[in-house]
Amino acid sequence: MKFNSKSISYLFLISTLVVISCKNNETDTKEMVIQENTNEVKLLIGMYTDSIGRGIYEVNFDQETGQLGEPKLLVETENPSYLTQSTDGNFVYAVNENQEGSLSAFQWNADKTKLNLLNQQPSAGAHPCYISLNGNQDLLAAANYSSGDFVVYNRLANGSLDNIAQIKKHTGSGPVKPNQDAAHAHCALFGKDQKHLYVVDLGIDEIASYAINEQNQLGEKMVALELEKGDGPRHLIFHPTKDWAFVINELSSTVICAKVDGDKGLFTTISKVNTLPADYSGKNACADIHISDDGKFLYATNRGHNSIATIAIDDKGGLKTIAQDTIMGDWPRNFMISPNGKFILVANQLSNNITVFERNKESGLLRYIDHQISVSKPVYLSTKL
């Protein structure tokens, strides 16, 4: 076949367009892959360990579809029922909820696929159930449920925990037996302004406040909030923008909104609402509480009723329970709102599963998306930083 100059020019033009088209398709494919990957985040799972579940796990979560992957073991450690992470994402801290409790400091390996133990310190009490870092990242606090005390450690520059501890013990009891036969510290959380450490005590119906001086030493106990007898406060969270705190009460199945005086370390109750339907008369024990990023909705788990309550927050701190959805499992413990706010994931301790709910950002309401995975005794969930 003979080619004249005109046909050669035509063939060259066609081949050039094909190459450009292929490159554009390749670019589009790469961009599509990158876009797909941005939907995926990794979650950390804490649990009560046994022959099946052996420590802290990681699982992939697709924030667009709500699908969970298969859990992968990061490190073996006993009963890591509550975790916290450093804000730089390099370290993970866990309680070891045993009779002789301990706190474990872990550092990620180079590609963040495994956790390596830095050191372990005693929790100075029985069954530590909550752990948190302050905003300056130089103090770590943990609450010991069974012994009714809490411990604070200095966090060293390499991420490990110092061997000098500050220990404070609560005393007293409440009317609900045996749950309130003695003090039971259930949450130790630093205030937003870093001036106080707040310790929620289920056994004595109190939130205690401890001032922190410039040397990171705790002052004497003050009562930040005295709750109604038998409330059994369990966890505390803060509003993202307002000077409000929210307390979930395990024994009375209620949630409280309180005004926070950060300078004095004191709370004043604004409102209180029930997490259960009015016609429910069975046993229940509330567990965990979280707030949406826009500060408009609270979510609270009910163990016994086996549901998650949706609570609306008005501009004055008033609360209204607008829904209770079954969690498709048994004994919901901690849960989390996905980073994009589109989903809620619930860790169900007794049914050994994690269930996923789609969240309407406007109404706050939830819808089960018929997806769950099996995990042995999961009790804690958070996004991997």
Side-chain angles (χ1 to χ4, degrees), residues 180-232:
Q180 294 185 315
D181 56 354
H184 293 301
H186 213 305
C187 171
L189 183 65
F190 294 93
K192 291 167 68 174
D193 58 9
Q194 310 305 310
K195 294 180 180 179
H196 294 86
L197 173 66
Y198 299 102
V199 180
V200 181
D201 199 306
L202 183 147
I204 57 177
D205 294 315
E206 284 182 0
I207 298 175
S209 172
Y210 295 85
I212 305 170
N213 66 20
E214 293 181 356
Q215 290 74 43
N216 279 342
Q217 296 298 304
L218 301 184
E220 294 301 311
K221 175 190 171 185
M222 298 186 298
V223 178
L225 182 65
E226 185 174 348
L227 292 95
E228 292 184 41
K229 297 300 182 184
D231 268 347

Side-chain angles (χ1 to χ4, degrees), residues 82 130 187 189 234-238 245-249 254-257 273 275 286-292 297-302 308-309 311 313 319 332-337 344:
Y82 209 92
Y130 195 100
C187 171
L189 183 65
R234 180 181 174 96
H235 280 184
L236 166 71
I237 60 171
F238 294 105
F246 302 93
V247 184
I248 187 166
N249 295 313
T254 56
V255 169
I256 289 173
C257 175
V273 70
T275 64
C286 284
D288 195 20
I289 184 170
H290 291 284
I291 189 169
S292 58
F297 299 100
L298 288 168
Y299 299 90
T301 44
N302 289 306
I308 183 165
I311 302 169
I313 311 166
L319 304 177
R333 286 286 296 265
N334 289 55
F335 67 96
M336 61 166 284
I337 303 174
I344 281 182

Side-chain angles (χ1 to χ4, degrees), residues 300-356:
T301 44
N302 289 306
R303 296 173 296 175
H305 187 251
N306 285 341
S307 64
I308 183 165
T310 302
I311 302 169
I313 311 166
D314 68 27
D315 292 339
K316 296 182 179 179
L319 304 177
K320 181 181 180 180
T321 302
I322 58 176
Q324 292 99 356
D325 293 284
T326 177
I327 43 75
M328 311 304 291
D330 189 7
W331 214 247
R333 286 286 296 265
N334 289 55
F335 67 96
M336 61 166 284
I337 303 174
S338 63
N340 64 358
K342 186 177 178 179
F343 296 97
I344 281 182
L345 300 93
V346 184
N348 301 304
Q349 179 185 342
L350 298 185
S351 52
N352 302 309
N353 65 337
I354 295 172
T355 50
V356 185

Side-chain angles (χ1 to χ4, degrees), residues 241-292:
T241 58
K242 299 181 183 294
D243 292 328
W244 295 344
F246 302 93
V247 184
I248 187 166
N249 295 313
E250 177 177 324
L251 302 182
S252 65
S253 298
T254 56
V255 169
I256 289 173
C257 175
K259 173 73 173 176
V260 180
D261 184 332
D263 290 330
K264 295 180 180 179
L266 301 176
F267 297 171
T268 304
T269 298
I270 298 174
S271 58
K272 186 177 185 179
V273 70
N274 202 294
T275 64
L276 295 169
D279 59 354
Y280 180 74
S281 58
K283 291 183 178 181
N284 190 68
C286 284
D288 195 20
I289 184 170
H290 291 284
I291 189 169
S292 58

Side-chain angles (χ1 to χ4, degrees), residues 33-228:
V33 170
I34 291 171
Q35 182 63 38
E36 288 176 352
N37 287 342
T38 60
N39 294 328
E40 191 173 85
V41 295
K42 296 181 184 300
L43 311 181
L44 298 183
I45 304 172
M47 62 176 54
Y48 290 124
T49 50
D50 54 19
S51 60
I52 301 172
R54 307 198 309 272
I56 301 172
Y57 285 74
E58 174 184 283
V59 64
N60 292 334
F61 177 66
D62 189 315
Q63 292 196 94
E64 189 59 35
T65 66
Q67 298 296 299
L68 285 161
E70 287 297 318
K72 299 177 182 178
L73 181 64
L74 295 171
V75 66
E76 291 194 19
T77 188
E78 194 172 7
N79 292 332
S81 63
Y82 209 92
L83 313 176
T84 192
Q85 301 174 73
S86 61
T87 53
D88 61 13
N90 293 329
F91 302 91
V92 175
Y93 301 87
V95 301
N96 298 106
E97 193 177 334
N98 301 320
Q99 178 64 37
E100 294 185 6
S102 57
L103 312 175
S104 297
F106 300 98
Q107 184 175 23
W108 289 103
N109 64 354
D111 60 0
K112 297 191 78 169
T113 57
K114 292 291 182 182
L115 288 170
N116 299 315
L117 181 66
L118 286 175
N119 74 332
Q120 194 175 69
Q121 297 289 7
S123 72
H127 301 114
C129 59
Y130 195 100
I131 191 168
S132 68
L133 284 164
N134 67 342
N136 297 329
Q137 303 289 281
D138 56 0
L139 288 178
L140 180 139
N144 295 302
Y145 178 80
S146 294
S147 51
D149 45 32
F150 68 95
V151 63
V152 175
Y153 281 100
N154 287 331
R155 178 174 177 260
L156 302 179
N158 68 353
S160 64
L161 302 179
D162 198 2
N163 57 7
I164 300 175
Q166 299 180 67
I167 306 165
K168 301 280 188 178
K169 185 172 179 61
H170 292 172
T171 59
S173 61
V176 180
K177 309 298 183 186
N179 307 74
Q180 294 185 315
D181 56 354
H184 293 301
H186 213 305
C187 171
L189 183 65
F190 294 93
K192 291 167 68 174
D193 58 9
Q194 310 305 310
K195 294 180 180 179
H196 294 86
L197 173 66
Y198 299 102
V199 180
V200 181
D201 199 306
L202 183 147
I204 57 177
D205 294 315
E206 284 182 0
I207 298 175
S209 172
Y210 295 85
I212 305 170
N213 66 20
E214 293 181 356
Q215 290 74 43
N216 279 342
Q217 296 298 304
L218 301 184
E220 294 301 311
K221 175 190 171 185
M222 298 186 298
V223 178
L225 182 65
E226 185 174 348
L227 292 95
E228 292 184 41

